[in-house]
Short mmCIF file of all heavy atoms in Angstrom, two decimals:
data_model
loop_
_atom_site.label_atom_id
_atom_site.label_comp_id
_atom_site.label_asym_id
_atom_site.label_seq_id
_atom_site.Cartn_x
_atom_site.Cartn_y
_atom_site.Cartn_z
N GLY A 1 15.44 27.16 -40.71
CA GLY A 1 14.12 26.58 -40.50
C GLY A 1 14.16 25.12 -40.09
O GLY A 1 15.16 24.61 -39.60
N ILE A 2 13.02 24.46 -40.32
CA ILE A 2 12.88 23.05 -39.97
C ILE A 2 12.58 22.25 -41.24
O ILE A 2 11.94 22.74 -42.15
CB ILE A 2 11.76 22.83 -38.91
CG1 ILE A 2 10.42 23.33 -39.45
CG2 ILE A 2 12.11 23.51 -37.60
CD1 ILE A 2 9.22 22.94 -38.60
N PRO A 3 13.06 21.00 -41.29
CA PRO A 3 12.83 20.20 -42.49
C PRO A 3 11.37 19.77 -42.60
O PRO A 3 10.71 19.49 -41.59
CB PRO A 3 13.74 18.99 -42.29
CG PRO A 3 13.97 18.90 -40.83
CD PRO A 3 13.85 20.29 -40.28
N VAL A 4 10.87 19.72 -43.83
CA VAL A 4 9.53 19.19 -44.11
C VAL A 4 9.63 18.28 -45.33
O VAL A 4 10.43 18.53 -46.24
CB VAL A 4 8.47 20.30 -44.33
CG1 VAL A 4 8.21 21.07 -43.05
CG2 VAL A 4 8.87 21.25 -45.44
N THR A 5 8.82 17.24 -45.34
CA THR A 5 8.79 16.33 -46.48
C THR A 5 8.00 16.96 -47.62
O THR A 5 7.29 17.96 -47.43
CB THR A 5 8.11 15.00 -46.11
OG1 THR A 5 6.74 15.26 -45.82
CG2 THR A 5 8.80 14.34 -44.91
N ARG A 6 8.09 16.35 -48.76
CA ARG A 6 7.34 16.85 -49.92
C ARG A 6 5.84 16.87 -49.63
O ARG A 6 5.14 17.79 -50.03
CB ARG A 6 7.65 15.96 -51.14
CG ARG A 6 7.00 16.48 -52.38
CD ARG A 6 7.48 15.75 -53.60
NE ARG A 6 6.61 16.09 -54.70
CZ ARG A 6 6.76 15.67 -55.91
NH1 ARG A 6 7.76 14.89 -56.22
NH2 ARG A 6 5.92 16.03 -56.85
N GLU A 7 5.36 15.88 -48.91
CA GLU A 7 3.94 15.80 -48.58
C GLU A 7 3.51 16.88 -47.58
O GLU A 7 2.34 17.24 -47.52
CB GLU A 7 3.60 14.41 -48.02
CG GLU A 7 3.77 13.28 -49.01
CD GLU A 7 5.23 12.92 -49.28
OE1 GLU A 7 6.10 13.09 -48.40
OE2 GLU A 7 5.50 12.49 -50.41
N GLU A 8 4.44 17.40 -46.81
CA GLU A 8 4.14 18.41 -45.80
C GLU A 8 4.31 19.85 -46.30
O GLU A 8 4.02 20.79 -45.56
CB GLU A 8 5.07 18.23 -44.59
CG GLU A 8 4.89 16.91 -43.87
CD GLU A 8 5.99 16.66 -42.84
OE1 GLU A 8 7.17 16.99 -43.10
OE2 GLU A 8 5.65 16.14 -41.76
N LEU A 9 4.78 20.03 -47.52
CA LEU A 9 5.06 21.38 -48.02
C LEU A 9 3.84 22.29 -47.96
O LEU A 9 2.72 21.86 -48.26
CB LEU A 9 5.55 21.31 -49.47
CG LEU A 9 6.96 20.80 -49.68
CD1 LEU A 9 7.23 20.57 -51.17
CD2 LEU A 9 7.99 21.75 -49.08
N GLN A 10 4.10 23.53 -47.59
CA GLN A 10 3.09 24.58 -47.58
C GLN A 10 3.63 25.78 -48.35
O GLN A 10 4.85 25.98 -48.41
CB GLN A 10 2.75 25.01 -46.14
CG GLN A 10 2.11 23.93 -45.32
CD GLN A 10 1.85 24.40 -43.89
OE1 GLN A 10 2.03 25.56 -43.55
NE2 GLN A 10 1.42 23.47 -43.05
N PRO A 11 2.74 26.59 -48.95
CA PRO A 11 3.22 27.77 -49.66
C PRO A 11 4.15 28.61 -48.78
O PRO A 11 3.86 28.84 -47.60
CB PRO A 11 1.93 28.52 -50.00
CG PRO A 11 0.92 27.42 -50.13
CD PRO A 11 1.29 26.43 -49.05
N GLY A 12 5.26 29.01 -49.35
CA GLY A 12 6.26 29.79 -48.63
C GLY A 12 7.44 28.98 -48.14
O GLY A 12 8.46 29.55 -47.76
N ASP A 13 7.32 27.65 -48.15
CA ASP A 13 8.45 26.81 -47.76
C ASP A 13 9.53 26.86 -48.84
O ASP A 13 9.23 26.98 -50.03
CB ASP A 13 8.02 25.34 -47.58
CG ASP A 13 7.17 25.10 -46.36
OD1 ASP A 13 7.15 25.97 -45.45
OD2 ASP A 13 6.51 24.04 -46.30
N LEU A 14 10.77 26.77 -48.41
CA LEU A 14 11.87 26.63 -49.36
C LEU A 14 11.91 25.19 -49.84
O LEU A 14 11.67 24.26 -49.06
CB LEU A 14 13.21 27.00 -48.71
CG LEU A 14 13.40 28.46 -48.34
CD1 LEU A 14 14.70 28.63 -47.53
CD2 LEU A 14 13.44 29.34 -49.57
N VAL A 15 12.22 24.98 -51.12
CA VAL A 15 12.39 23.63 -51.66
C VAL A 15 13.81 23.52 -52.21
O VAL A 15 14.29 24.43 -52.89
CB VAL A 15 11.34 23.29 -52.74
CG1 VAL A 15 9.98 23.07 -52.10
CG2 VAL A 15 11.24 24.36 -53.81
N PHE A 16 14.45 22.42 -51.90
CA PHE A 16 15.86 22.22 -52.26
C PHE A 16 16.02 21.02 -53.18
O PHE A 16 15.31 20.02 -53.05
CB PHE A 16 16.71 22.02 -51.00
CG PHE A 16 16.79 23.25 -50.15
CD1 PHE A 16 15.87 23.48 -49.14
CD2 PHE A 16 17.79 24.18 -50.37
CE1 PHE A 16 15.93 24.62 -48.37
CE2 PHE A 16 17.87 25.33 -49.60
CZ PHE A 16 16.93 25.55 -48.59
N PHE A 17 17.01 21.14 -54.04
CA PHE A 17 17.29 20.12 -55.03
C PHE A 17 18.79 19.82 -55.01
O PHE A 17 19.60 20.68 -54.68
CB PHE A 17 16.88 20.60 -56.42
CG PHE A 17 15.44 21.02 -56.47
CD1 PHE A 17 15.06 22.32 -56.17
CD2 PHE A 17 14.45 20.11 -56.80
CE1 PHE A 17 13.73 22.72 -56.18
CE2 PHE A 17 13.11 20.48 -56.82
CZ PHE A 17 12.76 21.79 -56.51
N ARG A 18 19.13 18.58 -55.39
CA ARG A 18 20.53 18.18 -55.41
C ARG A 18 20.78 17.33 -56.66
O ARG A 18 20.24 16.24 -56.80
CB ARG A 18 20.88 17.36 -54.19
CG ARG A 18 22.34 16.96 -54.12
CD ARG A 18 22.68 16.13 -52.89
NE ARG A 18 22.34 16.80 -51.67
CZ ARG A 18 21.49 16.31 -50.75
NH1 ARG A 18 20.92 15.15 -50.93
NH2 ARG A 18 21.23 16.99 -49.66
N ASP A 19 21.59 17.84 -57.56
CA ASP A 19 22.03 17.05 -58.71
C ASP A 19 22.97 15.96 -58.23
O ASP A 19 23.58 16.08 -57.17
CB ASP A 19 22.76 17.93 -59.73
CG ASP A 19 21.81 18.85 -60.48
OD1 ASP A 19 20.66 18.44 -60.72
OD2 ASP A 19 22.21 19.97 -60.83
N THR A 20 23.12 14.94 -59.02
CA THR A 20 23.94 13.79 -58.61
C THR A 20 25.41 14.14 -58.41
O THR A 20 26.12 13.42 -57.72
CB THR A 20 23.83 12.65 -59.63
OG1 THR A 20 24.16 13.16 -60.92
CG2 THR A 20 22.43 12.08 -59.66
N ASN A 21 25.88 15.23 -59.00
CA ASN A 21 27.30 15.57 -58.84
C ASN A 21 27.56 16.42 -57.59
O ASN A 21 28.66 16.87 -57.38
CB ASN A 21 27.83 16.29 -60.08
CG ASN A 21 27.10 17.58 -60.38
OD1 ASN A 21 25.96 17.76 -59.96
ND2 ASN A 21 27.72 18.48 -61.11
N TYR A 22 26.55 16.61 -56.74
CA TYR A 22 26.74 17.37 -55.50
C TYR A 22 26.87 16.41 -54.33
O TYR A 22 26.31 15.32 -54.35
CB TYR A 22 25.55 18.31 -55.26
CG TYR A 22 25.67 19.62 -55.98
CD1 TYR A 22 25.47 19.70 -57.35
CD2 TYR A 22 26.01 20.78 -55.31
CE1 TYR A 22 25.60 20.90 -58.03
CE2 TYR A 22 26.15 21.99 -55.98
CZ TYR A 22 25.93 22.03 -57.33
OH TYR A 22 26.08 23.22 -57.98
N SER A 23 27.57 16.85 -53.29
CA SER A 23 27.72 16.00 -52.11
C SER A 23 26.38 15.87 -51.40
O SER A 23 25.45 16.62 -51.65
CB SER A 23 28.74 16.62 -51.15
OG SER A 23 28.15 17.67 -50.40
N THR A 24 26.30 14.93 -50.49
CA THR A 24 25.06 14.70 -49.77
C THR A 24 24.72 15.83 -48.82
O THR A 24 23.62 15.91 -48.31
CB THR A 24 25.12 13.38 -48.98
OG1 THR A 24 26.23 13.44 -48.09
CG2 THR A 24 25.24 12.19 -49.90
N LYS A 25 25.66 16.73 -48.56
CA LYS A 25 25.41 17.85 -47.65
C LYS A 25 25.25 19.17 -48.40
O LYS A 25 25.22 20.22 -47.78
CB LYS A 25 26.53 17.95 -46.63
CG LYS A 25 26.58 16.74 -45.72
CD LYS A 25 27.62 16.87 -44.66
CE LYS A 25 27.59 15.62 -43.80
NZ LYS A 25 28.45 15.69 -42.67
N ALA A 26 25.15 19.12 -49.71
CA ALA A 26 25.05 20.34 -50.51
C ALA A 26 23.75 20.36 -51.29
O ALA A 26 23.17 19.32 -51.59
CB ALA A 26 26.24 20.44 -51.46
N ALA A 27 23.30 21.55 -51.59
CA ALA A 27 22.14 21.74 -52.46
C ALA A 27 22.61 22.39 -53.75
O ALA A 27 23.44 23.29 -53.73
CB ALA A 27 21.09 22.62 -51.77
N SER A 28 22.08 21.94 -54.87
CA SER A 28 22.45 22.54 -56.14
C SER A 28 21.46 23.62 -56.56
O SER A 28 21.76 24.41 -57.45
CB SER A 28 22.52 21.47 -57.23
OG SER A 28 21.29 20.78 -57.36
N HIS A 29 20.28 23.67 -55.91
CA HIS A 29 19.25 24.62 -56.32
C HIS A 29 18.24 24.81 -55.19
O HIS A 29 18.02 23.92 -54.39
CB HIS A 29 18.55 24.08 -57.57
CG HIS A 29 17.70 25.09 -58.26
ND1 HIS A 29 18.21 26.23 -58.83
CD2 HIS A 29 16.36 25.12 -58.49
CE1 HIS A 29 17.21 26.93 -59.38
NE2 HIS A 29 16.09 26.28 -59.18
N VAL A 30 17.61 26.00 -55.18
CA VAL A 30 16.58 26.30 -54.19
C VAL A 30 15.48 27.13 -54.86
O VAL A 30 15.74 27.90 -55.78
CB VAL A 30 17.17 27.05 -52.96
CG1 VAL A 30 17.79 28.39 -53.37
CG2 VAL A 30 16.13 27.24 -51.87
N GLY A 31 14.26 26.92 -54.40
CA GLY A 31 13.12 27.69 -54.87
C GLY A 31 12.12 27.86 -53.73
O GLY A 31 12.40 27.48 -52.58
N ILE A 32 10.96 28.42 -54.04
CA ILE A 32 9.91 28.66 -53.05
C ILE A 32 8.66 27.91 -53.47
O ILE A 32 8.15 28.11 -54.59
CB ILE A 32 9.61 30.17 -52.90
CG1 ILE A 32 10.87 30.94 -52.50
CG2 ILE A 32 8.48 30.40 -51.89
CD1 ILE A 32 10.73 32.46 -52.62
N TYR A 33 8.15 27.07 -52.58
CA TYR A 33 6.94 26.32 -52.88
C TYR A 33 5.75 27.27 -52.90
O TYR A 33 5.60 28.12 -52.01
CB TYR A 33 6.73 25.23 -51.81
CG TYR A 33 5.59 24.31 -52.12
CD1 TYR A 33 5.68 23.40 -53.18
CD2 TYR A 33 4.42 24.35 -51.38
CE1 TYR A 33 4.63 22.54 -53.47
CE2 TYR A 33 3.37 23.50 -51.66
CZ TYR A 33 3.48 22.60 -52.72
OH TYR A 33 2.43 21.76 -53.00
N ILE A 34 4.89 27.15 -53.93
CA ILE A 34 3.73 28.05 -54.04
C ILE A 34 2.40 27.31 -53.97
O ILE A 34 1.35 27.91 -54.12
CB ILE A 34 3.80 28.91 -55.33
CG1 ILE A 34 3.77 28.06 -56.58
CG2 ILE A 34 5.04 29.81 -55.29
CD1 ILE A 34 3.62 28.87 -57.87
N GLY A 35 2.45 26.00 -53.72
CA GLY A 35 1.23 25.21 -53.62
C GLY A 35 0.97 24.42 -54.88
O GLY A 35 1.55 24.66 -55.94
N ASN A 36 0.08 23.43 -54.75
CA ASN A 36 -0.36 22.65 -55.91
C ASN A 36 0.81 21.98 -56.64
O ASN A 36 0.82 21.92 -57.87
CB ASN A 36 -1.15 23.54 -56.85
CG ASN A 36 -2.26 22.79 -57.55
OD1 ASN A 36 -2.70 21.77 -57.07
ND2 ASN A 36 -2.68 23.30 -58.68
N SER A 37 1.80 21.52 -55.88
CA SER A 37 3.01 20.87 -56.41
C SER A 37 3.85 21.78 -57.30
O SER A 37 4.64 21.30 -58.11
CB SER A 37 2.65 19.58 -57.16
OG SER A 37 2.12 18.63 -56.28
N GLN A 38 3.71 23.08 -57.16
CA GLN A 38 4.48 24.03 -57.97
C GLN A 38 5.43 24.84 -57.09
O GLN A 38 5.16 25.05 -55.91
CB GLN A 38 3.57 24.98 -58.72
CG GLN A 38 2.70 24.29 -59.76
CD GLN A 38 1.88 25.29 -60.54
OE1 GLN A 38 1.29 26.21 -59.97
NE2 GLN A 38 1.84 25.12 -61.84
N PHE A 39 6.51 25.30 -57.71
CA PHE A 39 7.45 26.16 -57.02
C PHE A 39 7.93 27.23 -57.99
O PHE A 39 7.91 27.06 -59.21
CB PHE A 39 8.62 25.36 -56.44
CG PHE A 39 9.53 24.73 -57.45
CD1 PHE A 39 10.76 25.29 -57.75
CD2 PHE A 39 9.16 23.56 -58.11
CE1 PHE A 39 11.60 24.71 -58.68
CE2 PHE A 39 9.99 22.97 -59.05
CZ PHE A 39 11.21 23.55 -59.33
N ILE A 40 8.37 28.34 -57.42
CA ILE A 40 8.90 29.46 -58.20
C ILE A 40 10.38 29.57 -57.89
O ILE A 40 10.80 29.39 -56.74
CB ILE A 40 8.11 30.76 -57.90
CG1 ILE A 40 8.49 31.88 -58.87
CG2 ILE A 40 8.26 31.18 -56.44
CD1 ILE A 40 7.53 33.07 -58.81
N HIS A 41 11.16 29.86 -58.95
CA HIS A 41 12.62 29.88 -58.76
C HIS A 41 13.28 30.64 -59.90
O HIS A 41 12.69 30.85 -60.95
CB HIS A 41 13.16 28.44 -58.70
CG HIS A 41 12.90 27.63 -59.94
ND1 HIS A 41 13.82 26.78 -60.47
CD2 HIS A 41 11.81 27.52 -60.75
CE1 HIS A 41 13.33 26.18 -61.54
NE2 HIS A 41 12.10 26.62 -61.73
N ALA A 42 14.52 31.05 -59.64
CA ALA A 42 15.36 31.62 -60.69
C ALA A 42 16.11 30.45 -61.31
O ALA A 42 16.94 29.82 -60.66
CB ALA A 42 16.33 32.66 -60.12
#
């Protein structure tokens, strides 16, 4: 897909997270944005 900022998120977008022990090119976690600043994830 294409990158979007936090302010541009829409329901269905993937959201990615990176803990400090991960490289700058890696993601430590992913979820799905559901709106209203919330996301669903395992």
Side-chain angles (χ1 to χ4, degrees):
I2 59 170
V4 293
T5 66
R6 185 171 167 178
E7 295 74 30
E8 297 170 321
L9 287 171
Q10 295 178 7
D13 289 343
L14 292 172
V15 287
F16 292 90
F17 304 88
R18 182 180 303 121
D19 288 327
T20 55
N21 60 337
Y22 276 74
S23 79
T24 58
K25 295 184 180 186
S28 58
H29 193 63
V30 61
I32 301 168
Y33 187 70
I34 62 171
N36 214 23
S37 295
Q38 295 184 315
F39 66 103
I40 189 167
H41 60 140

